Amino acid sequence: MKRMNVPSERSAAAVLEEMRGRLISFTPELHKAATHVLENSNLISITSIRNMAQGANIKPNTLVRMARALGFEGYEDFRRPFREQVMRGREDFPDRARWLQSLSKGGKLASLYSQMASTSIENIEGLFSGTSATDIKKLADAIVRARMTYVLGVGFASSIARNFAYLASMAVGGVVAIPREGSLPIDGLVHAEKGDILVAMTFKPYRREIIEAVEVARTYGLKVVGISDSPASPILVRADQRFVIPTNTPQFFPSTVAVTALFETIMAFVVAEAEADAVSNIERFHRRRHELGIYWQEEQR
């Protein structure tokens, strides 16, 4: 069979990005295959086509068809950039590994402590290795320029959204967290205009009201920034800018470590990209709080 014209420099990241962009046009079976591959991309280079198919509950030929739909000759051709990525390797962290192993000694809770430390570090590494300064700057610039930026999160994401909006409002105007207490996410968009920004986040299991708010925002002409834990997340499929954040944890609830780190980084970039008086605004805010006695001081003891 004649090899298809697939550029040799096509990276694993580029293949995954193209796959994510094609999700909406795939047949149900190809969508199922691609979703499994996107969510388990770390297994592509080391797992056989049969085992990958079993994990997705599909036939191996479906993965072949998916690869061909992406321009590859077959599944083995599709795997090549992922194997090359592994061969280039990642930096070893023997000291960290020894430290994590030492934490697990001492019983059940010590083992859990070790797992929490390990997954938290891995989540942070996953965030910063999968996101670039260019991505963050693009969003920060947009927030600084926008008339309004709506930050949407429910459940545990609500407190993250509110904290970001609170801090960002010290440097730039027009950043608000939605939904307000007792209202729906779409209620918060009632005054939104074309060109405003919606930063929306939801994590498995995905919240219906977030997905609906994203669709409303697109109808209004807002720029949608999606933050989720899978490239196949329904809010990322049609987002203008997207961030995939690891939320792995040995406990029952998603980890917020990497999500919080992302918003702290965005906040730092917003301040750096804002007008020169942004720092003055923040300093004035804190000075007034000191003057009003809001902050505890040593002499008050």
Side-chain angles (χ1 to χ4, degrees):
M1 183 183 291
K2 185 179 179 181
R3 180 175 170 80
M4 294 184 182
N5 184 25
V6 180
S8 59
E9 68 272 11
R10 199 176 185 189
S11 68
V15 173
L16 292 174
E17 177 63 16
E18 180 180 349
M19 188 187 307
R20 186 213 56 74
R22 297 278 297 279
L23 269 181
I24 198 168
S25 64
F26 280 164
T27 64
E29 278 297 290
L30 289 186
H31 188 283
K32 189 176 182 180
T35 296
H36 181 74
V37 169
L38 284 167
E39 295 183 348
N40 298 276
S41 60
N42 58 310
L43 300 179
I44 297 172
S45 64
I46 59 174
T47 304
S48 69
I49 185 172
R50 184 176 299 277
N51 287 338
M52 283 295 284
Q54 287 176 347
N57 195 26
I58 56 175
K59 295 179 180 179
N61 187 54
T62 305
L63 289 171
V64 175
R65 290 191 293 113
M66 179 203 72
R68 288 174 176 169
L70 293 167
F72 292 94
E73 188 177 71
Y75 188 72
E76 285 305 306
D77 194 28
F78 166 79
R79 293 176 73 187
R80 185 173 291 108
F82 297 90
R83 285 178 165 173
E84 290 174 352
Q85 178 176 270
V86 171
M87 284 189 289
R88 286 195 298 271
R90 257 185 89 183
E91 184 181 353
D92 237 348
F93 296 100
D95 290 338
R96 194 192 76 193
R98 282 193 289 270
W99 170 66
L100 289 172
Q101 287 173 0
S102 72
L103 293 180
S104 65
K105 299 174 181 177
K108 185 176 180 180
L109 289 180
S111 177
L112 176 60
Y113 186 76
S114 172
Q115 292 175 52
M116 290 299 298
S118 178
T119 53
S120 294
I121 292 170
E122 288 172 359
N123 286 343
I124 291 292
E125 287 180 345
L127 163 66
F128 287 105
S129 65
T131 307
S132 69
T134 302
D135 298 329
I136 303 291
K137 184 178 185 301
K138 179 180 177 182
L139 175 54
D141 285 343
I143 291 173
V144 170
R145 293 194 305 266
R147 183 192 75 93
M148 289 292 297
T149 297
Y150 301 91
V151 189
L152 170 59
V154 296
F156 76 82
S158 175
S159 60
I160 297 174
R162 294 183 184 285
N163 184 62
F164 176 80
Y166 169 73
L167 294 175
S169 65
M170 297 184 197
V172 296
V175 181
V176 297
I178 59 172
R180 289 188 169 87
E181 188 174 355
S183 67
L184 296 172
I186 57 174
D187 296 335
L189 297 175
V190 68
H191 298 298
E193 298 179 5
K194 184 177 181 180
D196 290 348
I197 299 172
L198 172 66
V199 180
M201 54 183 144
T202 186
F203 308 90
K204 294 178 183 176
Y206 305 120
R207 297 286 291 261
R208 180 180 297 276
E209 64 263 47
I210 304 295
I211 299 169
E212 291 173 348
V214 166
E215 290 304 312
V216 169
R218 288 183 57 82
T219 301
Y220 286 176
L222 276 70
K223 173 182 178 178
V224 174
V225 179
I227 300 172
S228 195
D229 52 0
S230 165
S233 169
I235 70 166
L236 299 190
V237 172
R238 299 178 66 191
D240 299 292
Q241 189 175 1
R242 55 195 66 86
F243 295 89
V244 179
I245 309 301
T247 59
N248 302 320
T249 178
Q251 61 152 326
F252 295 104
F253 309 104
S255 170
T256 62
V257 171
V259 183
T260 301
L262 171 66
F263 276 94
E264 288 184 359
T265 307
I266 296 170
M267 184 67 251
F269 275 56
V270 166
V271 173
E273 295 297 304
E275 298 293 333
D277 60 356
V279 175
S280 299
N281 292 340
I282 296 172
E283 290 176 342
R284 183 166 58 252
F285 179 89
H286 284 289
R287 185 169 59 251
R288 287 177 178 174
R289 286 192 151 212
H290 278 292
E291 292 169 354
L292 294 170
I294 293 173
Y295 296 134
W296 183 88
Q297 297 179 22
E298 187 71 20
E299 61 269 19
Q300 292 177 334
R301 288 195 303 174

